[in-house]
């Protein structure tokens, strides 16, 4: 069996969390290494020796205080990252990081894919003032290494059909859908009150929806079910619920982000006519066997 192309470092505080992340990190796609931060050690000390053989990181949020972040940046230790912890709308590591709460780890593999894609697409080695020259060189080397392993287009254009929603075992499919519902609930809860937090929840949802080939009808169903749940609760408590219609904006926001991801997934040199265009999956093409099997 071929060895997975990429290595993910799990930098987490508890064995239980490590086990959860292992469960949701596909072994056919990623090899994982567990890095422990011992008492008195720093993240920079732990990650430094693995700089050349780690391609992405999953880090527990509680390990990323301001000092740890500064040390990582100063040492040029920047990797595609998923931060596990509370979604607060803040940047814990670097602007291309993604966030997942502990109860939404069923989406981990998809968000690692997305984190690598964002890292390659956005480019950390872009001359930002906060990056030292050593940081820029290190990130450029990592980007080159990722592109060499994945091909020029990277994972963004290489979704794994075996991990599409319709291809998952029933129990795993159920867990993924429940996790997506929790993410969407977080999105709605903060959509008007805390845009930065809502944006992080939206990114997680959209990334998982894209890489898992979630049918558009399922996205709409998740929205409608949650709004209906809120409506019933407000009615029971005797509160007004007319404002719930405003949350259609959240659904439109999700759809717009999904459309943008599908647009970017079309290679720029691919002709949009004839047989070539027929190979490109569009959002509206998702009403297929994946919907029937789910």
């Amino acid at each position: 069996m071929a060895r997975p192309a990429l290595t993910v470092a799990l930098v987490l505080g508890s064995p239980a969390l490590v086990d959860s992340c292992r469960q949701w990190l596909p072994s056919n796609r990623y090899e994982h290494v567990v890095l422990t931060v011992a008492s008195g050690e720093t993240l920079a000390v732990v990650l430094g020796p693995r700089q050349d053989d780690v391609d992405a990181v999953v880090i527990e949020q509680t390990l990323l205080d301001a000092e740890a972040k500064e040390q990582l940046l100063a040492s040029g230790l920047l990797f595609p990252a998923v931060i596990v912890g509370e979604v607060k709308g803040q940047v814990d590591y670097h602007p291309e990081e993604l966030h997942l709460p502990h109860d939404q780890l069923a989406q981990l593999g998809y968000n690692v894919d997305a984190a690598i894609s964002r890292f390659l697409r956005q480019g950390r080695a872009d001359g930002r003032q906060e990056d030292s020259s050593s940081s820029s060189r290190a990130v450029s080397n990592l980007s080159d290494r990722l592109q060499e392993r994945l091909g020029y287009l990277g994972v963004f254009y290489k979704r794994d059909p075996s991990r599409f929603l319709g291809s998952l075992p029933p129990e795993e499919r159920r867990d993924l859908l429940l996790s997506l519902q929790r993410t969407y609930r977080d999105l709605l809860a903060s959509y008007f009150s805390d845009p930065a937090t809502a944006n992080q929840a939206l990114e997680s949802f959209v990334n998982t929806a894209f890489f898992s080939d979630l049918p558009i009808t399922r996205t709409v169903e998740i929205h409608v079910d949650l709004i209906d749940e809120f409506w019933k609760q407000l009615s029971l408590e005797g509160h007004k619920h007319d404002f719930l219609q405003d949350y259609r904006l959240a659904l439109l926001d999700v759809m717009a982000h999904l459309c943008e991801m599908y647009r970017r997934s079309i290679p720029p040199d691919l002709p949009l006519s004839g047989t070539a265009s027929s190979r490109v999956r569009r959002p509206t093409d998702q009403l297929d066997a994946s919907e029937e099997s789910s």
Side-chain angles (χ1 to χ4, degrees), residues 31-244:
E31 180 179 22
H32 69 267
V33 294
V34 178
L35 302 182
T36 303
V37 182
S39 177
E41 285 188 322
T42 65
L43 282 174
V45 168
V46 171
L47 284 169
R50 309 303 298 265
Q51 184 168 10
D52 293 331
D53 54 22
V54 166
D55 302 301
V57 295
V58 178
I59 303 180
E60 190 167 4
Q61 189 180 54
T62 54
L63 301 175
L64 276 166
D65 57 21
E67 183 178 0
K69 174 184 174 181
E70 181 60 30
Q71 290 172 348
L72 290 170
L73 295 178
S75 302
L77 295 169
L78 291 171
F79 304 92
V82 177
I83 310 301
V84 178
E86 185 180 354
V87 177
K88 302 177 181 178
Q90 68 186 33
V91 175
D92 293 301
Y93 181 16
H94 61 68
E96 282 74 58
E97 70 195 27
L98 294 171
H99 295 78
L100 275 179
H102 294 71
D103 65 349
Q104 295 166 26
L105 290 177
Q107 303 175 57
L108 180 60
Y110 304 104
N111 274 261
V112 171
D113 283 356
I116 293 174
S117 171
R118 285 166 62 94
F119 190 89
L120 288 172
R121 188 176 67 245
Q122 300 291 346
R124 285 295 299 164
D126 57 2
R128 292 176 183 169
Q129 294 180 355
E130 70 267 26
D131 290 341
S132 66
S133 58
S134 62
S135 174
S136 295
R137 287 196 300 270
V139 175
S140 179
N141 290 338
L142 175 55
S143 294
D144 291 344
R145 189 171 79 230
L146 288 170
Q147 290 181 358
E148 180 180 353
R149 293 183 184 182
L150 297 169
Y152 177 74
L153 297 178
V155 296
F156 198 80
Y157 305 127
K158 295 183 179 180
R159 298 186 300 165
D160 183 359
S162 70
R163 295 171 61 232
F164 286 177
L165 184 69
S167 301
L168 298 178
E171 184 176 353
E172 189 173 341
R173 185 188 313 142
R174 182 201 64 200
D175 289 342
L176 179 60
L177 287 172
L178 288 174
S179 180
L180 282 166
Q181 289 169 6
R182 296 186 190 105
T183 303
Y184 203 93
R185 182 187 293 273
D186 290 345
L187 165 61
L188 294 181
S190 56
Y191 190 74
F192 291 111
S193 61
D194 190 345
T197 297
N199 188 59
Q200 289 183 344
L202 183 148
E203 287 176 343
S204 292
F205 184 91
V206 169
N207 288 326
T208 303
F210 175 79
F211 281 101
S212 69
D213 204 41
L214 182 73
I216 291 298
T217 52
R218 276 301 181 100
T219 302
V220 175
E221 181 182 326
I222 289 171
H223 175 88
V224 171
D225 286 348
L226 283 171
I227 293 298
D228 187 53
E229 180 183 325
F230 295 159
W231 184 90
K232 291 177 180 177
Q233 184 63 35
L234 289 169
S235 297
L236 286 172
E237 296 174 357
H239 299 303
K240 293 182 178 180
H241 43 67
D242 293 346
F243 69 92
L244 290 176

Side-chain angles (χ1 to χ4, degrees), residues 280-291:
V280 179
R281 294 291 301 277
R282 299 169 296 172
T284 51
D285 295 333
Q286 295 183 82
L287 309 181
D288 54 11
S290 64
E291 170 68 10

